[in-house]
Amino acid sequence: MPNRDDVAIFEQFRPTLLGLAYRMLGSRADAEDAVQDTFIKWRNADRGKIENPASWLTALCTRRCIDLARSAHRTRVDYLGPWLPEPLHTPSENEAENALSMASSLTTAFLLMLDRLTPKERAAYLLHEIFDVSYTEAAKTLDIQESTCRKLVSRARASIEQAKVRHITPVDRQEQLLAAFKAAVVGGNTDQLAILLSDDIELSADGGGKVPTVLRVLRGKAEVLEFITQKLRQYWSAYQWSASEINGGRGVILHEEELATVAVSFAYDEAGRTTNIYIVRNPDKLSHLNGLLKQ
């Protein structure tokens, strides 16, 4: 059994491990499982043989996440409708997670881009580019040559830069979009929203096969605006709205009393136009937001 100091050491690194695992897996629940598995290994390890606890814990958690990511990829083949990452509430007082570089690595668009990479590409990129792990240490973690690690990071970086998903839109523009989106859903007024949307806007909804939702990605301003005014206005009329920080940006939680029913986040291009609307309705991905609504 670990002594109190050993537990304290692990707790010191828990937030970093959770941050890494969530970005690797796109699921808070799976991330917590990975971190708990890491703690169990730590609890049973011979601490006398561990020279650097941070490196040891990071390596173990990363390897567990790679295994879970491979398993998740296989199960998502049969996922009903679009799969979206589990929405994460990112409170503004958490300075570490809301530094610009960190917030940009929490957006739904960025997480979806990561999910298109291989698990090892994803891990190498996150370790080196987001968590400042050296190529040497990252290579040891992944049990590969340093030259291979550099190639993995380079390929991942090229894909992410091409997708242009690592930038932060000014908060005032995000607030404008949020107000315009609510005006369109609640009142049917789409004038301001239409101005803020890109012409090739996409709307994705994740119900996980557990609740009714649109099962395909809607594309184009006309189709998206019609869906918002003709469908969402009807479906969401009884919900309460709570603006919230979701995945490093301004979003909204729709709820009935203290039960979260919908979480909405957005993606923007570098000019500030809205490129994506992400709607999560899968109740398994929303349960952790219920506590937030009680505050």
Side-chain angles (χ1 to χ4, degrees):
M1 292 293 291
N3 59 39
R4 188 173 300 176
D5 289 341
D6 292 330
V7 173
I9 290 172
F10 183 86
E11 291 304 320
Q12 176 186 347
F13 294 110
R14 182 185 289 273
T16 299
L17 297 177
L18 275 171
L20 172 64
Y22 174 75
R23 289 169 174 84
M24 276 288 298
L25 302 170
S27 165
R28 171 176 166 151
D30 289 347
E32 289 175 343
D33 286 346
V35 172
Q36 184 61 25
D37 290 344
T38 303
F39 174 70
I40 292 172
K41 294 284 189 179
W42 167 258
R43 183 182 62 188
N44 296 322
D46 181 354
R47 238 79 66 211
K49 296 181 179 179
I50 299 174
E51 297 181 2
N52 187 326
S55 296
W56 191 92
L57 290 168
T58 299
L60 196 64
C61 186
T62 300
R63 291 165 188 165
R64 181 59 181 145
C65 286
I66 289 174
D67 290 340
L68 290 173
R70 288 169 174 160
S71 176
H73 179 73
R74 290 190 293 269
T75 59
R76 285 175 195 165
V77 171
D78 299 321
Y79 199 84
L80 187 60
W83 176 89
L84 294 175
E86 184 176 346
L88 182 71
H89 174 58
T90 48
S92 57
E93 64 269 18
N94 189 335
E95 295 180 2
E97 283 296 294
N98 281 275
L100 288 181
S101 62
M102 296 302 278
S104 68
S105 69
L106 281 171
T107 65
T108 303
F110 179 76
L111 295 175
L112 286 172
M113 183 65 241
L114 287 179
D115 195 59
R116 299 186 189 106
L117 305 176
T118 69
K120 281 198 172 182
E121 285 176 340
R122 199 182 316 172
Y125 179 88
L126 288 171
L127 288 171
H128 183 70
E129 298 288 307
I130 306 301
F131 291 93
D132 295 323
V133 176
S134 69
Y135 281 116
T136 301
E137 283 298 316
K140 289 180 181 178
T141 293
L142 300 175
D143 194 24
I144 56 179
Q145 296 293 322
E146 184 174 329
S147 59
T148 303
C149 184
R150 289 178 179 272
K151 289 178 182 178
L152 289 175
V153 174
S154 178
R155 285 204 299 265
R157 187 192 298 121
S159 297
I160 289 167
E161 289 178 352
Q162 183 177 13
K164 297 181 179 180
V165 292
R166 283 211 65 193
H167 59 270
I168 292 295
T169 302
V171 174
D172 58 348
R173 174 50 67 98
Q174 296 185 49
E175 293 286 4
Q176 288 177 14
L177 186 279
L178 204 56
F181 181 72
K182 184 175 182 179
V185 174
V186 175
N189 183 353
T190 63
D191 292 346
Q192 187 60 30
L193 182 61
I195 294 172
L196 297 174
L197 299 184
S198 67
D199 290 336
D200 55 355
I201 179 75
E202 294 186 355
L203 183 149
S204 307
D206 179 345
K210 299 176 183 294
V211 294
T213 192
V214 60
L215 295 178
R216 64 181 180 87
V217 177
L218 305 183
R219 294 181 170 88
K221 191 179 295 188
E223 185 174 40
V224 168
L225 288 175
E226 180 181 8
F227 178 75
I228 289 172
T229 55
Q230 300 300 317
K231 300 297 183 181
L232 295 188
R233 188 181 179 192
Q234 173 187 350
Y235 298 154
W236 294 0
S237 60
Y239 295 152
Q240 299 168 279
W241 290 59
S242 293
S244 181
E245 291 289 325
I246 298 177
N247 290 86
R250 298 296 288 159
V252 63
I253 300 170
L254 277 66
H255 53 101
E256 296 178 288
E257 299 302 330
E258 296 176 351
L259 181 65
T261 308
V262 183
V264 187
S265 59
F266 306 92
Y268 306 83
D269 62 20
E270 293 176 305
R273 293 181 296 264
T274 309
T275 58
N276 296 83
I277 300 173
Y278 302 111
I279 299 171
V280 176
R281 294 207 61 222
N282 185 339
D284 293 343
K285 297 183 178 183
L286 298 174
S287 59
H288 67 281
L289 298 176
N290 294 334
L292 176 65
L293 300 172
K294 296 178 182 180
Q295 297 176 4

